[in-house]
Amino acid sequence: PLVLPDTARHYVRDAVTLGRLSEVKFKIKGDLQQLPFADPKHGEFLVTAKASDVQYAYVPPTANSKNWPALEALKGEMVFNRQSLEVREAQGRVAGLAGLQLTRGSARIPDLGKAVVEVNTTVKGSLAQGLQFVNNSPVSAMLSDALLQATATGPADYSMRLVLPLADLAQTSVQGSLTLPGNDVQFMPGTPVLGRLRGALAFTENS
């Protein structure tokens, strides 16, 4: 809607490249000049829908750096509630890495007037493809490219939280973790293989 700030509208345009909506429901009450009714005293604005077959580039790609892999084949619930936008209970997979399944995800803009996006993901799948995700995304630089030559077998669990200020994506903050349930990992060719490795690796945009 044109009542939303340009940064929010452009983010949705660039981030959501495919998808379908069904079971769309509207609830609007009040003077339409006051949309989206940031002050509850002025009225109600609520839109809910089921989303499916969505492709979502949660951090829109740029030409100057490694990009975050998009999510695809997403399904979930979309909710516009006054000044906020939220996608709940999303499931799907990581684009280009079919072995990484998004088992639970959410995206939220608490205040479309300020346009800061919060993304939370929980992913399960192949550790080998998890390394591809890391090495082909900004996470690699966060880890000082330590895993560029690593190889691994077995499954792993991943979680990540991003906070994206749309007016200045360079200030994006990241918190993530990789949990190994007992994998074989070789960090560099010619080095010993670490068998049945268990533990967790945490990372942020600063470490």
PDB file of all heavy atoms in Angstrom, residues 122-136:
ATOM      1  N   THR A 122      15.239 -21.729  11.617  1.00  0.00           N
ATOM      2  CA  THR A 122      15.770 -22.994  12.123  1.00  0.00           C
ATOM      3  C   THR A 122      15.823 -23.949  10.939  1.00  0.00           C
ATOM      4  O   THR A 122      14.805 -24.177  10.271  1.00  0.00           O
ATOM      5  CB  THR A 122      14.875 -23.585  13.226  1.00  0.00           C
ATOM      6  OG1 THR A 122      14.794 -22.651  14.314  1.00  0.00           O
ATOM      7  CG2 THR A 122      15.449 -24.897  13.738  1.00  0.00           C
ATOM      8  N   VAL A 123      17.020 -24.478  10.672  1.00  0.00           N
ATOM      9  CA  VAL A 123      17.248 -25.291   9.480  1.00  0.00           C
ATOM     10  C   VAL A 123      17.884 -26.609   9.887  1.00  0.00           C
ATOM     11  O   VAL A 123      18.735 -26.648  10.782  1.00  0.00           O
ATOM     12  CB  VAL A 123      18.159 -24.547   8.477  1.00  0.00           C
ATOM     13  CG1 VAL A 123      18.535 -25.432   7.301  1.00  0.00           C
ATOM     14  CG2 VAL A 123      17.489 -23.268   7.990  1.00  0.00           C
ATOM     15  N   LYS A 124      17.479 -27.687   9.213  1.00  0.00           N
ATOM     16  CA  LYS A 124      18.101 -28.998   9.397  1.00  0.00           C
ATOM     17  C   LYS A 124      18.568 -29.508   8.045  1.00  0.00           C
ATOM     18  O   LYS A 124      17.940 -29.231   7.020  1.00  0.00           O
ATOM     19  CB  LYS A 124      17.101 -29.997  10.004  1.00  0.00           C
ATOM     20  CG  LYS A 124      16.688 -29.702  11.431  1.00  0.00           C
ATOM     21  CD  LYS A 124      15.708 -30.749  11.944  1.00  0.00           C
ATOM     22  CE  LYS A 124      15.318 -30.489  13.392  1.00  0.00           C
ATOM     23  NZ  LYS A 124      16.450 -30.717  14.308  1.00  0.00           N
ATOM     24  N   GLY A 125      19.683 -30.277   8.064  1.00  0.00           N
ATOM     25  CA  GLY A 125      20.108 -30.859   6.804  1.00  0.00           C
ATOM     26  C   GLY A 125      21.577 -31.187   6.761  1.00  0.00           C
ATOM     27  O   GLY A 125      22.284 -31.162   7.769  1.00  0.00           O
ATOM     28  N   SER A 126      22.033 -31.483   5.555  1.00  0.00           N
ATOM     29  CA  SER A 126      23.395 -31.930   5.293  1.00  0.00           C
ATOM     30  C   SER A 126      24.418 -30.908   5.764  1.00  0.00           C
ATOM     31  O   SER A 126      24.327 -29.722   5.448  1.00  0.00           O
ATOM     32  CB  SER A 126      23.538 -32.165   3.782  1.00  0.00           C
ATOM     33  OG  SER A 126      24.879 -32.097   3.379  1.00  0.00           O
ATOM     34  N   LEU A 127      25.421 -31.377   6.512  1.00  0.00           N
ATOM     35  CA  LEU A 127      26.499 -30.485   6.932  1.00  0.00           C
ATOM     36  C   LEU A 127      27.326 -30.045   5.731  1.00  0.00           C
ATOM     37  O   LEU A 127      27.802 -28.902   5.680  1.00  0.00           O
ATOM     38  CB  LEU A 127      27.386 -31.174   7.969  1.00  0.00           C
ATOM     39  CG  LEU A 127      28.577 -30.356   8.480  1.00  0.00           C
ATOM     40  CD1 LEU A 127      28.129 -29.000   9.029  1.00  0.00           C
ATOM     41  CD2 LEU A 127      29.332 -31.136   9.560  1.00  0.00           C
ATOM     42  N   ALA A 128      27.496 -30.920   4.734  1.00  0.00           N
ATOM     43  CA  ALA A 128      28.245 -30.534   3.536  1.00  0.00           C
ATOM     44  C   ALA A 128      27.579 -29.339   2.858  1.00  0.00           C
ATOM     45  O   ALA A 128      28.249 -28.386   2.442  1.00  0.00           O
ATOM     46  CB  ALA A 128      28.346 -31.715   2.570  1.00  0.00           C
ATOM     47  N   GLN A 129      26.251 -29.362   2.762  1.00  0.00           N
ATOM     48  CA  GLN A 129      25.557 -28.227   2.156  1.00  0.00           C
ATOM     49  C   GLN A 129      25.532 -27.032   3.108  1.00  0.00           C
ATOM     50  O   GLN A 129      25.517 -25.873   2.664  1.00  0.00           O
ATOM     51  CB  GLN A 129      24.143 -28.616   1.734  1.00  0.00           C
ATOM     52  CG  GLN A 129      24.143 -29.570   0.551  1.00  0.00           C
ATOM     53  CD  GLN A 129      22.827 -29.591  -0.193  1.00  0.00           C
ATOM     54  OE1 GLN A 129      21.819 -29.056   0.256  1.00  0.00           O
ATOM     55  NE2 GLN A 129      22.839 -30.207  -1.361  1.00  0.00           N
ATOM     56  N   GLY A 130      25.557 -27.298   4.409  1.00  0.00           N
ATOM     57  CA  GLY A 130      25.675 -26.205   5.363  1.00  0.00           C
ATOM     58  C   GLY A 130      26.976 -25.442   5.183  1.00  0.00           C
ATOM     59  O   GLY A 130      27.019 -24.209   5.279  1.00  0.00           O
ATOM     60  N   LEU A 131      28.060 -26.173   4.877  1.00  0.00           N
ATOM     61  CA  LEU A 131      29.338 -25.518   4.599  1.00  0.00           C
ATOM     62  C   LEU A 131      29.254 -24.682   3.324  1.00  0.00           C
ATOM     63  O   LEU A 131      29.833 -23.592   3.246  1.00  0.00           O
ATOM     64  CB  LEU A 131      30.448 -26.560   4.485  1.00  0.00           C
ATOM     65  CG  LEU A 131      30.858 -27.243   5.789  1.00  0.00           C
ATOM     66  CD1 LEU A 131      31.850 -28.374   5.504  1.00  0.00           C
ATOM     67  CD2 LEU A 131      31.458 -26.244   6.777  1.00  0.00           C
ATOM     68  N   GLN A 132      28.514 -25.169   2.335  1.00  0.00           N
ATOM     69  CA  GLN A 132      28.311 -24.371   1.117  1.00  0.00           C
ATOM     70  C   GLN A 132      27.572 -23.081   1.451  1.00  0.00           C
ATOM     71  O   GLN A 132      27.911 -22.006   0.933  1.00  0.00           O
ATOM     72  CB  GLN A 132      27.532 -25.175   0.081  1.00  0.00           C
ATOM     73  CG  GLN A 132      28.273 -26.344  -0.524  1.00  0.00           C
ATOM     74  CD  GLN A 132      27.436 -27.048  -1.585  1.00  0.00           C
ATOM     75  OE1 GLN A 132      26.911 -26.425  -2.497  1.00  0.00           O
ATOM     76  NE2 GLN A 132      27.295 -28.354  -1.446  1.00  0.00           N
ATOM     77  N   PHE A 133      26.562 -23.197   2.289  1.00  0.00           N
ATOM     78  CA  PHE A 133      25.819 -21.999   2.711  1.00  0.00           C
ATOM     79  C   PHE A 133      26.769 -20.994   3.355  1.00  0.00           C
ATOM     80  O   PHE A 133      26.763 -19.805   3.021  1.00  0.00           O
ATOM     81  CB  PHE A 133      24.721 -22.401   3.693  1.00  0.00           C
ATOM     82  CG  PHE A 133      23.908 -21.247   4.224  1.00  0.00           C
ATOM     83  CD1 PHE A 133      22.635 -21.002   3.743  1.00  0.00           C
ATOM     84  CD2 PHE A 133      24.401 -20.415   5.220  1.00  0.00           C
ATOM     85  CE1 PHE A 133      21.876 -19.937   4.225  1.00  0.00           C
ATOM     86  CE2 PHE A 133      23.657 -19.350   5.706  1.00  0.00           C
ATOM     87  CZ  PHE A 133      22.391 -19.111   5.213  1.00  0.00           C
ATOM     88  N   VAL A 134      27.577 -21.483   4.287  1.00  0.00           N
ATOM     89  CA  VAL A 134      28.502 -20.600   5.002  1.00  0.00           C
ATOM     90  C   VAL A 134      29.480 -19.943   4.034  1.00  0.00           C
ATOM     91  O   VAL A 134      29.676 -18.717   4.039  1.00  0.00           O
ATOM     92  CB  VAL A 134      29.265 -21.388   6.084  1.00  0.00           C
ATOM     93  CG1 VAL A 134      30.448 -20.584   6.614  1.00  0.00           C
ATOM     94  CG2 VAL A 134      28.329 -21.760   7.221  1.00  0.00           C
ATOM     95  N   ASN A 135      30.104 -20.745   3.172  1.00  0.00           N
ATOM     96  CA  ASN A 135      31.197 -20.239   2.345  1.00  0.00           C
ATOM     97  C   ASN A 135      30.738 -19.376   1.180  1.00  0.00           C
ATOM     98  O   ASN A 135      31.547 -18.652   0.588  1.00  0.00           O
ATOM     99  CB  ASN A 135      32.042 -21.406   1.840  1.00  0.00           C
ATOM    100  CG  ASN A 135      32.803 -22.082   2.963  1.00  0.00           C
ATOM    101  OD1 ASN A 135      33.236 -21.427   3.915  1.00  0.00           O
ATOM    102  ND2 ASN A 135      32.957 -23.395   2.889  1.00  0.00           N
ATOM    103  N   ASN A 136      29.454 -19.447   0.845  1.00  0.00           N
ATOM    104  CA  ASN A 136      28.923 -18.630  -0.244  1.00  0.00           C
ATOM    105  C   ASN A 136      28.047 -17.498   0.266  1.00  0.00           C
ATOM    106  O   ASN A 136      27.262 -16.922  -0.500  1.00  0.00           O
ATOM    107  CB  ASN A 136      28.130 -19.504  -1.220  1.00  0.00           C
ATOM    108  CG  ASN A 136      29.041 -20.462  -1.982  1.00  0.00           C
ATOM    109  OD1 ASN A 136      30.028 -20.062  -2.582  1.00  0.00           O
ATOM    110  ND2 ASN A 136      28.714 -21.736  -1.929  1.00  0.00           N
TER     111      ASN A 136
END
